[in-house]
């Protein structure tokens, strides 16, 4: 590690965008790898919920970010050398402003579709909060630290911003509108910004109205090529829409319209919203999402070419200028081959910092957890909010994305409740609009293993809890959930880590608000005294589905 750190320091001084690579571990998923190892790849390149992706290239490195809503840390930063193998190197948001507002769960609110660009030797991320406005955060090193967000334009309903630094020195910002806040949608606006890109300076111009042909047009990405201004934008809705491109010789239009990709005869529904990137070898590629319901919006990579100054995305077998998504394809030519890598999933909890895959449901507090070099993560029980009806509104639940359609997650936990408290809980959960979990729960009678299900949790419905068995105090227990295609979940437990017993009926996972279902761990209580109990999670493992259950 010492040699790697020295090399990383040299690289950081020489080429700042490369500095994040020293923090990347060669994580390889056991449940989904896009790289087929033979010069080709299969879609999705990320089979996890990295919704509304945007990306840019700096030298030979590609960087991606995505919407994160109320999850903290937010604005994930991913890095790739070949657009297929991605690693998670950090987050741009450690806490989300306004800070007090986001101390409570804000499902579906917070960070909507961001844009990432590299300009003047700095990385810029513009991100929208539909309730507060458009923010900017910057960094010299994509792995961080990132600057405190500044409000570029305040207001309700301003979404999906993207900047453009024009070759005449002007700076522009394109964005869409959220009908739920602004009272209007299906339009795109272009505004001027100051030279620093930190403040909008005029009310802008509506450059495209999609009400008749392109309802729900949003998520614009702004480019300039061969004298044309281009707005790449999704339209038609999240799960069923198409990829639209608008072009004009004048930044304020009028813009010509062309659908450049839709589902066609492929199984990939609603292929749209994402980023055009090119390689140093001159190839063009497009990253976009596909809505997979409970699994969220996963990321696909499509080949792209230019024909008569229009992009064609995917494969265009009939040469009509409109492509459809590929399932497998040759990898981008980036000059060399790179090792297989994926974002992290499993965690040994042996580092001083939480793994980058983990996110809380709100801005975290310092007393929720501690990591150590003793090889476990300690979660302290924290009192749930007074008005909480179920775990949907509990902020101190530590979650990560479903990594693919079929997988198994197991954790080993030792729960040490406070003997002066009742109803402390620690366990494993699958979170969404409805949720289910398996937890250890304290009472005056001792410790029990309980299975909980909450249908319509987002509507405030109560949790239904079933006692599975009594547990001897100071006994480590293994908690597991198996997820199979269709997002069907089966919980189980073990006392020896070898033989697992099913607990509860099969549970149908559901998406959250604008996100996929998540899995994770927690430790809570319902009353307040001057101290808490805690749960030590030894590890969290993600593997292929097992049949070793009874």
């Amino acid at each position: 590690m010492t040699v790697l750190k020295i090399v990383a320091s040299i690289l950081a001084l020489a080429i700042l965008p490369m500095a994040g690579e020293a923090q990347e571990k060669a994580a390889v998923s056991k449940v989904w790898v896009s790289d087929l190892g033979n010069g080709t790849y299969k879609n999705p390149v990320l089979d996890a919920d990295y919704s509304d992706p945007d990306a840019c290239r700096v030298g030979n490195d590609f960087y991606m970010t995505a919407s994160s809503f109320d999850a903290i840390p937010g604005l994930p930063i991913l890095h790739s050398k070949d657009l297929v193998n991605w690693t998670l190197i950090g987050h741009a948001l450690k806490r989300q402003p306004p800070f007090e507002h986001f101390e409570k769960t804000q499902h579906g609110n917070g960070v909507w579709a961001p844009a990432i660009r590299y300009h003047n030797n700095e990385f810029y991320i513009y991100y929208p909060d539909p309730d507060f406005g458009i923010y900017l955060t910057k960094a010299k090193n994509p792995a961080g630290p990132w600057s405190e967000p500044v409000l570029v334009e305040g207001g309700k309903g301003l979404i999906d911003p993207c900047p453009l630094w024009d070759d005449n020195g002007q700076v522009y910002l394109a964005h869409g509108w959220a009908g739920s806040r602004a009272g209007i949608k299906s339009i795109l606006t272009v505004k001027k910004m100051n030279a620093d890109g930190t403040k909008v300076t005029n009310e802008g111009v509506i450059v495209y109205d999609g009400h008749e042909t392109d309802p729900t047009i949003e998520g614009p990405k702004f480019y300039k090529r061969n004298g044309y201004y281009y707005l790449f934008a999704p339209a038609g809705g999240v799960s069923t829409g198409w990829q639209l491109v608008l072009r004009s010789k004048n930044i304020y239009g009028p813009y010509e319209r062309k659908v450049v990709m839709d589902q066609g005869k492929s199984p990939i529904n609603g292929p749209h919203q994402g980023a055009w990137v090119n390689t140093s070898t001159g190839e063009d590629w497009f990253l976009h999402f596909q809505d997979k319901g409970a699994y969220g919006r996963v990321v696909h990579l499509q080949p792209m070419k230019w024909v008569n100054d229009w992009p064609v995305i995917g494969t265009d077998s009939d040469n009509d200028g409109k492509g459809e998504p590929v399932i497998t394809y040759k990898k981008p030519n980036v000059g060399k081959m790179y090792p297989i890598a994926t974002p992290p999933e499993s965690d040994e909890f042996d580092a001083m910092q939480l793994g980058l895959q983990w996110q809380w449901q709100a801005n975290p507090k310092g007393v929720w957890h501690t990591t150590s070099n003793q090889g476990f993560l300690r979660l302290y029980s924290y009192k749930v909010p007074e008005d909480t009806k179920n775990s949907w509104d509990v902020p101190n639940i530590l979650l990560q994305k479903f990594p693919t359609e079929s997988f198994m997650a197991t954790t080993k936990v030792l729960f040490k409740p406070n003997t002066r408290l009742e109803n402390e809980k620690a366990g494993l959960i699958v979170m969404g609009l409805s949720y289910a979990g398996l937890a250890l729960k304290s009472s005056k009678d001792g410790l029990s293993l309980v299975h909980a299900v909450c249908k319509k949790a987002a509507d405030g419905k109560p949790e239904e809890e079933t006692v599975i068995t009594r547990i001897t105090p100071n006994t480590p227990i293994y908690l597991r959930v198996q997820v199979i295609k269709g997002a069907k979940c089966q919980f189980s437990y073990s006392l020896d880590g070898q033989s697992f017993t099913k607990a509860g009926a099969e549970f149908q996972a559901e998406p959250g608000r604008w996100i996929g279902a998540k899995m994770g761990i927690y430790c809570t209580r319902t009353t307040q005294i001057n101290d808490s109990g805690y749960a030590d999670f030894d590890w969290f493992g993600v593997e292929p589905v097992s049949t070793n259950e009874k």
Side-chain angles (χ1 to χ4, degrees), residues 153 158 160 162 173-177 187-191 202-208 220 222 231 252:
E153 182 179 18
L158 311 173
D160 308 352
C162 186
L173 189 74
H175 71 80
W177 296 84
I187 56 174
L188 300 181
T189 296
V190 171
K191 297 173 177 176
N202 69 353
E203 67 181 19
V205 174
I206 296 174
V207 298
Y208 190 75
F222 223 163
L231 287 165
Y252 295 118

Side-chain angles (χ1 to χ4, degrees), residues 4 81 84 122 191 209 278 286 320 332 355 370 394 450 468 501 537:
L4 286 176
K81 284 286 194 177
V84 172
E122 284 188 293
K191 297 173 177 176
D209 186 328
N278 57 22
F286 187 72
D320 65 352
T370 183
V394 174
V450 298
I468 302 299
T501 302
F537 290 86

Side-chain angles (χ1 to χ4, degrees), residues 27-87:
V28 178
S29 172
K30 297 178 181 179
V31 294
W32 183 264
V33 173
S34 172
D35 192 326
L36 296 175
N38 59 2
T40 67
Y41 70 95
K42 62 181 178 181
N43 272 316
V45 290
L46 291 167
D47 203 18
D49 185 27
Y50 290 96
S51 55
D52 306 319
D54 191 39
C56 65
R57 176 175 65 87
V58 182
N60 294 318
D61 296 86
F62 300 92
Y63 298 96
M64 183 196 301
T65 190
S67 54
S68 52
F69 302 95
D70 67 340
I72 292 296
L75 285 171
I77 308 297
L78 297 104
H79 169 256
S80 178
K81 284 286 194 177
D82 59 10
L83 293 169
V84 172
N85 293 287
W86 291 92
T87 53

Side-chain angles (χ1 to χ4, degrees), residues 31-32 43-44 47-48 290 292 295 298 402-408 482-489 545:
V31 294
W32 183 264
N43 272 316
D47 203 18
Q290 174 201 8
K292 290 174 64 175
Y295 295 103
V298 304
F402 275 20
T404 189
E405 292 186 12
S406 179
F407 64 93
M408 178 176 73
Q482 294 202 70
V483 181
I484 61 173
K485 193 169 183 178
K488 299 181 187 301
C489 308
V545 168

Side-chain angles (χ1 to χ4, degrees), residues 179-410:
S180 57
R181 276 76 163 182
I184 189 171
K185 63 176 185 174
S186 302
I187 56 174
L188 300 181
T189 296
V190 171
K191 297 173 177 176
K192 279 189 176 182
M193 290 195 289
N194 62 6
D196 294 332
T198 58
K199 191 66 67 177
V200 165
T201 59
N202 69 353
E203 67 181 19
V205 174
I206 296 174
V207 298
Y208 190 75
D209 186 328
H211 282 97
E212 293 185 6
T213 56
D214 299 297
T216 319
I217 188 171
E218 56 189 357
K221 294 295 181 281
F222 223 163
Y223 309 100
K224 192 174 186 181
R225 177 186 181 273
N226 286 355
Y228 282 103
Y229 296 94
Y230 290 91
L231 287 165
F232 286 49
V238 171
S239 61
T240 58
W242 51 90
Q243 182 62 40
L244 191 70
V245 169
L246 309 172
R247 76 175 187 185
S248 176
K249 291 282 190 177
N250 187 309
I251 197 163
Y252 295 118
Y255 279 85
E256 302 174 80
R257 166 195 182 274
K258 188 174 180 61
V259 177
V260 297
M261 180 175 62
D262 62 14
Q263 179 171 351
K265 297 177 181 178
S266 81
I268 310 304
N269 57 291
H272 59 18
Q273 187 150 349
W276 163 40
V277 289
N278 57 22
T279 67
S280 58
T281 61
E283 294 182 348
D284 296 290
W285 295 85
F286 187 72
L287 291 153
H288 67 89
F289 74 66
Q290 174 201 8
D291 188 331
K292 290 174 64 175
Y295 295 103
R297 288 176 277 170
V298 304
V299 181
H300 290 243
L301 176 67
Q302 304 297 337
M304 178 176 143
K305 62 182 179 180
W306 290 91
V307 179
N308 298 323
D309 285 323
W310 285 107
V312 180
I313 301 174
T315 56
D316 181 17
S317 56
D318 58 5
N319 294 312
D320 65 352
K322 180 176 68 175
E324 63 181 54
V326 301
I327 305 301
T328 60
Y329 205 75
K330 64 179 180 180
K331 289 171 59 179
N333 175 14
V334 292
K336 61 181 291 188
M337 301 296 287
Y338 289 94
I340 291 175
T342 61
E345 299 156 0
S346 298
D347 199 333
E348 292 295 326
F349 298 131
D350 57 2
M352 294 300 292
Q353 300 293 327
L354 273 176
L356 295 175
Q357 65 268 48
W358 298 107
Q359 296 173 297
W360 301 100
Q361 288 208 123
N363 283 338
K365 297 183 184 296
V367 294
W368 288 357
H369 84 285
T370 183
T371 51
S372 72
N373 56 11
Q374 299 177 64
F376 59 82
L377 169 67
R378 177 166 291 178
L379 297 185
Y380 298 100
S381 74
Y382 190 79
K383 185 178 178 294
V384 300
E386 288 289 346
D387 56 353
T388 296
K389 295 181 173 62
N390 55 56
S391 292
W392 173 257
D393 290 319
V394 174
N396 58 310
I397 299 180
L398 189 61
L399 300 168
Q400 64 167 287
K401 307 171 190 301
F402 275 20
T404 189
E405 292 186 12
S406 179
F407 64 93
M408 178 176 73
T410 311

